[in-house]
Amino acid sequence: MTDRPPAAAASAVAAACSDAHPRIVAALIRVTGEWTLAEDCAQEALTLALQRWPEQGVPANPGGWLMTVARNRAIDVLRRASVERRKLRELAVLSLTDPGPAGAQAVQEEVVDDRLRLIFTCCHPALTLEARVALTLRTICGVPAADIARVFLVSESTMTRRLTRAKSKIADAGIPYRVPSGPALAERLPGVLAVLYLLFTRGYNADGRPAFAEEAIRLARLLRQLMPEQDEVSGVLALFLFQHSRRDARQDAEGNLLSLDRQDRSRWDHAAIAEALDLLSRIEQNGPYALQAHIAACHATAASADATDWQTIAQRYDDLARVQPTPVVQLNRAVAHGYAHGPSAGLSLLDQARANGALDDHPHALAVQADLTARQGDHERAAALFRQAAALAHSEPERRALLDRADRG
């Protein structure tokens, strides 16, 4: 045990919760088949940690301590409920008290695999898309129900009921807790990739949790081991690696966001970039994620912002818009064409992207308009647009970055 003051112990519990809670839940669901029991036992372990760690010290392996407590609690509940001995035997193998170096690695890999099974369960087509997203955010990412409710513009109690119904549907419909095989695996893959992308984005955003992005990368690696022949799995992993390679250069010493043209490229993770390039070289058919990865590669391999191959990026966005014509893709396409063919071309495409109202009051759309307007030479109008975008920004780091851009003209 490590002695720490109460505040430090509370921080340790919070950190362990972010990393270990979803792993514990996933492992206990696998062996018990009961979502509520798994979540309750994980929560009880966290509550006990808050009580004991300030007095007894933080254990050397907080995640292992939490897993052991949650497992023992599940054993007690199942024993009292006279559950089959088989489930008790399976729970026993989850012991992390002293697994040894080789055992610890084996247990860790099994838990990660549990999370992959859980993702496929959360993304089952029997659930509505909203339920899949909400259940994954809650169970895989550990996002509080209140935060998910804000995303879907409903009350916390409404979201809690929806999550409960989704879990009940999984149990009532007998949805298996496993990774499917054969045609079912190919059918379910797009939904799972969308979840991984959501998980990565939540960690990569300016106010996100980096652990989410790192976990998305780990799960994408595991999925590629399972489906090495699927080009889109390689594409999504390559995309994550390209984006995450810039994590250390995205902010200055004061925590302010830095755009690509202002980042110190020597601080990028060039090993991750090399790995992503190797993945891209093996892809035979480019789907939406692979196309995005090719775009990210153009940025990652440019020696400087001025050396960026905007012509190729614009072409890739043309390809992407044909297979995935979403408002965000159309917005990014306008940026690419603005740099490849001049700001007037970009503004023309921006007007087209805004035509159906999907980007009304969208801060990034205003920021793109501001940037292209500045490149046309109207700096006063551009500054006003940047300030409008800042007023609508979704996070404080983004707001500060947009205001800084307005001040720079």
Side-chain angles (χ1 to χ4, degrees):
M1 292 285 186
T2 302
D3 293 331
R4 294 189 187 180
S11 297
V13 173
C17 175
S18 176
D19 180 65
H21 180 270
R23 297 172 180 271
I24 296 169
V25 171
L28 293 182
I29 288 175
R30 174 174 59 84
V31 294
T32 68
E34 299 191 19
W35 292 60
T36 300
L37 173 64
E39 292 176 335
D40 288 348
C41 290
Q43 188 58 49
E44 288 183 29
L46 294 169
T47 300
L48 189 62
L50 280 172
Q51 295 171 354
R52 292 189 178 179
W53 291 5
E55 297 179 359
Q56 301 178 3
V58 178
N61 181 2
W65 189 96
L66 291 168
M67 177 69 87
T68 299
V69 171
R71 177 212 63 203
N72 290 341
R73 175 58 179 159
I75 289 174
D76 290 341
V77 172
L78 292 175
R79 183 181 292 118
R80 287 198 301 270
S82 300
V83 176
E84 298 91 342
R85 292 183 178 180
R86 177 182 59 80
K87 290 185 175 179
L88 291 175
R89 289 197 299 270
E90 289 180 347
L91 279 167
V93 305
L94 293 175
S95 176
L96 296 179
T97 50
D98 186 24
Q105 179 65 27
V107 170
Q108 181 181 8
E109 291 304 315
E110 179 63 30
V111 171
V112 171
D113 196 31
D114 282 336
R115 298 192 70 187
L116 188 61
R117 294 188 187 103
L118 189 54
I119 285 179
F120 272 94
T121 304
C122 289
C123 296
H124 196 279
L127 303 175
T128 66
L129 179 59
E130 179 182 292
R132 293 179 223 171
V133 174
L135 195 58
T136 300
L137 283 172
R138 180 71 194 101
T139 310
I140 304 296
C141 307
V143 179
D147 291 349
I148 302 172
R150 282 193 287 272
V151 172
F152 287 98
L153 303 178
V154 298
S155 67
E156 181 179 356
S157 60
T158 297
M159 180 51 63
T160 299
R161 288 194 296 272
R162 290 181 183 178
L163 289 166
T164 300
R165 285 197 298 269
K167 289 182 282 188
S168 297
K169 186 166 187 176
I170 288 173
D172 295 342
I175 293 174
Y177 181 68
R178 65 169 183 256
V179 178
S181 59
L185 183 56
E187 292 171 3
R188 298 269 299 281
L189 182 60
V192 172
L193 293 180
V195 166
L196 290 183
Y197 187 83
L198 178 67
L199 177 58
F200 178 83
T201 300
R202 186 170 177 85
Y204 186 74
N205 284 342
D207 58 347
R209 303 179 189 177
F212 286 176
E214 291 162 4
E215 186 60 25
I217 291 172
R218 283 195 292 269
L219 289 171
R221 289 189 195 281
L222 187 60
L223 190 59
R224 186 172 182 272
Q225 291 175 16
L226 177 71
M227 307 175 69
E229 76 287 353
Q230 291 288 337
D231 284 340
E232 275 293 78
V233 175
S234 297
V236 81
L237 176 56
L239 176 61
F240 292 170
L241 290 170
F242 280 132
Q243 300 288 66
H244 204 53
S245 70
R246 302 195 296 268
R247 63 191 178 277
D248 293 334
R250 296 180 69 216
Q251 296 180 332
D252 62 18
E254 287 73 40
N256 298 309
L257 283 178
L258 298 174
S259 54
L260 269 174
D261 59 313
R262 303 178 68 198
Q263 291 179 16
D264 179 357
R265 299 184 179 220
S266 67
R267 298 185 63 198
W268 290 0
D269 185 344
H270 294 281
I273 292 172
E275 181 184 355
L277 289 171
D278 180 65
L279 287 168
L280 276 186
S281 70
R282 301 170 187 271
I283 293 176
E284 296 181 359
Q285 186 171 357
N286 291 320
Y289 291 110
L291 286 170
Q292 291 179 67
H294 279 291
I295 292 168
C298 291
H299 291 293
T301 56
S304 66
D306 292 338
T308 302
D309 185 359
W310 284 107
Q311 296 283 342
T312 297
I313 292 175
Q315 181 180 342
R316 293 292 189 184
Y317 268 117
D318 290 344
D319 296 336
L320 182 59
R322 281 191 285 270
V323 298
Q324 195 178 64
T326 65
V328 172
V329 169
Q330 299 289 3
L331 176 61
N332 290 330
R333 179 172 176 248
V335 174
H337 278 263
Y339 278 84
H341 307 297
S344 295
L347 287 168
S348 177
L349 287 177
L350 179 60
D351 288 341
Q352 294 177 30
R354 283 173 153 174
N356 62 1
L359 296 173
D360 287 352
D361 296 324
H362 193 296
H364 292 167
L366 285 168
V368 168
Q369 182 184 359
D371 181 67
L372 294 171
T373 300
R375 295 183 61 232
Q376 280 188 321
D378 190 347
H379 298 287
E380 184 176 348
R381 171 65 175 155
L385 288 168
F386 276 123
R387 292 190 180 94
Q388 288 181 40
L392 298 170
H394 300 306
S395 69
E396 181 58 25
E398 288 181 349
R399 189 187 72 83
R400 290 199 310 268
L402 288 166
L403 288 176
D404 175 68
R405 185 66 180 83
D407 292 339
R408 288 189 284 118

